[in-house]
Amino acid sequence: MKKIPDRFNGYLRVNGNEFVYNVSDSVVTMLPAQSDKSKRWDVFQNTCSYKCEFPEYLFGEYEETQIAFLRKTEFSTRGLGLDLSVQFATPLIIKAAGNAAGYYDNLTEEWNKFHAITFYGGNINSLYMPQIAVEPTDMNQYFNNGARQVKIRPWKEYSHSIELNIDNEKVELTISVLQSGEMNDPIKLEAYNLGELNSYIRFSFENAQDSIKIIKYYKIVKSLVAILTKQNNVRFDVYLSQRNSAKQYFTTAYCKIFDRHENYSMKRSNRVIPLLSIWNGLPNLINKIANDEAEILLTILPEDNKMVNKISISNIQDLCTALEVAYNWDSRTREKDEHITELKKAIKKSISEFIKNHPEIDVYTQTTVSSAFEYLSYTLKQKIITLYNENQSVIDLLISKRSLKEMSEENIAAFVKLRNGKTHSGVINWGNSAYLYPALLALLYVCFFRYIGLDEEKIKAVIFNIF
């Protein structure tokens, strides 16, 4: 599969004007391409005053192939006009997969629209191992005479599809394995490569999607891979496809998306949650991601490999916030929550009686009773204890097998005290309180998986992969 390089040059059009451009990672630098000096100045001025609605795509050429840059910020310039260069940072580059008649004859939509978007390789390979596509090899024959047959199984034997609904649009999700052809590798002194297998996740649509939605679907899949990997710094590649007149998918464009990560997770398949192990819960999981309900979990996951085994006070604060949110997942009413409702009614009655006796005080505008009444609830410690009691069989098993700190009321109180100390006084007295963090993070994962509909036995099966 072809990829867009990190650095390249070409021509670009902005508001009807021609520029030459240079791409260095995510930064695009443009210079007016006109031969006349005064025209270059006019184009520069015109571009500086150019206004549009963000986001927008800027179209151009690279090696006689169409290319598009997503722009979400204003142009930046240097100095007082002595330097006519214009810059912007792009989060996404799309490059057409062809430039000949055969390519354009196959298109059924504009080249940058798509009927399917495919995310492949990288950390997706750990979630669905690509070697599943290969028939087992008889190594005895290889050791006897050197002969070896590499045989790929039929697609239907390792491809799985499921229906989704994302923002009221029908989507088919497919996981399978992508085959790339054999070739000579110039980087390895023309070593002959027999080919490469990469696992992929594909979203397919009934109607053609506009390229402005690429980032949206990318973020959904990135969040999915991050949750199952337990790290945010995950990576994979992306390409677009269209259905031709024969209703067959063909590759129409390659995408380069910039994520700003300094390094990437290297977790192998035995340390992540396999896609098939949560297959039935996948539609609900993706729905939660699309509705930003998984953001509270993603906030806690490491962005850098150097932070994988480290805990900051921000992690403590974020985990405490996430557990408070988790308490209200499913919008279910526990018996103990009814006591809070009863307490609120009693307080409201007392306030009414007080107002009758003291009409000179406007209780709701002159005091903080409204905000205090609105957020009246159990303490975070009590909420965590409740969540633990509801998921005790899974958490205790994990604590026992991983030798984690005991989830006692005393330990929970000490952990919450860390958050409260930082929030209310700015003082952090670590002690041994932070040792409860892995067990509480596991509790959050268990609550989240229960929220997406996994049963207890399935949760037990998958939680040990990442803890």
Side-chain angles (χ1 to χ4, degrees):
M1 190 65 66
K2 295 181 180 179
K3 297 182 181 180
I4 301 172
D6 293 329
R7 294 171 177 81
F8 59 94
N9 309 296
Y11 291 93
L12 191 62
R13 294 177 298 280
V14 180
N15 197 27
N17 296 310
E18 193 84 6
F19 287 82
V20 291
Y21 70 81
N22 170 264
V23 174
S24 180
D25 294 321
S26 64
V27 178
V28 183
T29 303
M30 308 184 301
L31 280 168
Q34 292 70 29
S35 57
D36 184 87
K37 186 176 181 180
S38 63
K39 289 184 178 179
R40 290 200 298 269
W41 172 254
D42 290 342
V43 168
F44 174 77
Q45 290 284 81
N46 178 268
T47 303
C48 289
S49 61
Y50 171 58
K51 300 295 181 183
C52 71
E53 290 187 8
F54 294 127
E56 74 156 351
Y57 276 100
L58 298 177
F59 293 88
E61 295 180 2
Y62 165 57
E63 293 184 342
E64 299 185 352
T65 302
Q66 294 191 78
I67 198 163
F69 301 90
L70 181 62
R71 184 170 78 100
K72 302 176 75 173
T73 59
E74 298 287 351
F75 290 124
S76 64
T77 57
R78 302 175 183 176
L80 301 174
L82 299 176
D83 182 349
L84 301 185
S85 65
V86 180
Q87 288 186 326
F88 68 96
T90 180
L92 166 65
I93 303 173
I94 312 171
K95 178 180 174 291
N99 58 6
Y103 168 78
Y104 289 106
D105 289 344
N106 261 327
L107 291 176
T108 52
E109 302 283 346
E110 295 178 29
W111 72 271
N112 58 318
K113 288 190 174 185
F114 58 96
H115 293 109
I117 180 168
T118 302
F119 311 90
Y120 70 97
N123 294 98
I124 294 175
N125 287 339
S126 298
L127 305 181
Y128 188 64
M129 297 172 64
Q131 49 264 54
I132 195 172
V134 182
E135 288 281 6
T137 302
D138 183 359
M139 295 304 296
N140 290 328
Q141 185 179 9
Y142 171 74
F143 289 126
N144 287 335
N145 58 17
R148 184 183 180 191
Q149 183 181 32
V150 179
K151 186 177 180 182
I152 305 298
R153 298 162 59 199
W155 278 309
K156 64 180 181 180
E157 293 186 15
Y158 53 85
S159 298
H160 305 270
S161 295
I162 196 167
E163 296 296 324
L164 308 176
N165 189 296
I166 301 177
D167 293 342
N168 297 318
E169 182 158 18
K170 291 182 180 179
V171 182
E172 182 180 61
L173 180 148
T174 300
I175 61 171
S176 188
V177 178
L178 186 69
Q179 304 174 28
S180 61
E182 66 278 0
M183 60 180 181
N184 289 315
D185 191 340
I187 299 177
K188 298 179 180 178
L189 296 178
E190 299 299 319
Y192 192 72
N193 189 336
L194 292 178
E196 184 175 270
L197 299 177
N198 281 293
S199 299
Y200 69 76
I201 299 172
R202 174 177 293 156
F203 288 164
S204 305
F205 310 88
E206 293 181 357
N207 303 311
Q209 302 293 298
D210 192 270
S211 53
I212 209 69
K213 292 186 177 181
I214 293 173
I215 292 292
K216 167 188 167 181
Y217 296 124
Y218 166 79
K219 286 181 177 179
I220 290 174
V221 173
K222 186 174 187 292
S223 297
L224 170 65
V225 176
I227 289 170
L228 300 184
T229 307
K230 211 179 73 168
Q231 285 186 227
N232 273 317
N233 57 331
V234 295
R235 65 180 177 89
F236 42 81
D237 292 303
V238 186
Y239 70 88
L240 309 178
S241 304
Q242 287 186 18
R243 286 189 297 269
N244 59 20
S245 56
K247 303 301 180 183
Q248 297 174 325
Y249 285 110
F250 75 103
T251 303
T252 52
Y254 308 112
C255 299
K256 188 177 186 68
I257 301 175
F258 298 94
D259 54 33
R260 309 290 184 181
H261 293 306
E262 291 187 8
N263 50 52
Y264 296 99
S265 171
M266 299 297 292
K267 286 184 178 177
R268 302 175 68 87
S269 58
N270 63 332
R271 297 186 58 216
V272 302
I273 297 174
L275 278 165
L276 287 182
S277 68
I278 60 160
W279 187 248
N280 292 333
L282 205 54
N284 205 13
L285 172 53
I286 290 178
N287 184 262
K288 303 301 182 191
I289 292 172
N291 292 332
D292 294 327
E293 293 183 73
E295 200 63 33
I296 199 73
L297 174 57
L298 292 164
T299 302
I300 299 169
L301 304 182
E303 300 278 349
D304 190 300
N305 289 338
K306 292 179 288 188
M307 298 302 297
V308 169
N309 296 313
K310 297 179 180 179
I311 302 171
S312 69
I313 190 61
S314 294
N315 296 139
I316 302 291
Q317 292 172 309
D318 290 339
L319 181 55
C320 287
T321 301
L323 288 167
E324 285 193 287
V325 172
Y327 184 83
N328 295 313
W329 278 337
D330 288 334
S331 299
R332 56 179 170 166
T333 302
R334 302 169 175 87
E335 183 178 349
K336 63 185 299 181
D337 292 332
E338 295 177 357
H339 298 156
I340 292 291
T341 303
E342 186 177 343
L343 176 59
K344 286 182 178 181
K345 289 179 180 178
I347 293 173
K348 192 173 182 179
K349 183 178 179 180
S350 297
I351 293 172
S352 297
E353 291 178 358
F354 180 87
I355 292 172
K356 289 178 182 179
N357 296 328
H358 297 279
E360 71 277 10
I361 299 177
D362 190 336
V363 172
Y364 289 105
T365 60
Q366 295 179 341
T367 74
T368 60
V369 69
S370 293
S371 58
F373 187 70
E374 180 182 355
Y375 297 107
L376 178 63
S377 181
Y378 286 106
T379 63
L380 174 59
K381 185 187 84 169
Q382 289 300 320
K383 289 180 179 180
I384 293 175
I385 291 171
T386 299
L387 291 174
Y388 167 61
N389 290 335
E390 292 172 348
N391 300 281
Q392 186 171 357
S393 61
V394 180
I395 297 301
D396 281 354
L397 187 61
L398 185 69
I399 289 173
S400 174
K401 288 196 173 184
R402 296 288 186 261
S403 300
L404 301 178
K405 193 167 185 178
E406 179 188 1
M407 191 83 75
S408 66
E409 184 172 344
E410 180 183 359
N411 290 339
I412 293 171
F415 186 87
V416 172
K417 190 175 180 181
L418 276 178
R419 194 275 298 265
N420 294 342
K422 171 62 176 176
T423 303
H424 300 303
S425 65
V427 177
I428 307 171
N429 184 12
W430 287 97
N432 295 322
S433 304
Y435 288 125
L436 194 61
Y437 185 91
L440 288 175
L441 180 57
L443 176 61
L444 179 63
Y445 257 90
V446 171
C447 292
F448 185 74
F449 284 146
R450 197 178 297 280
Y451 185 36
I452 68 170
L454 298 187
D455 60 40
E456 185 165 314
E457 291 307 311
K458 180 63 70 174
I459 292 173
K460 285 181 180 178
V462 302
I463 203 70
F464 286 98
N465 287 59
I466 54 174
F467 288 98

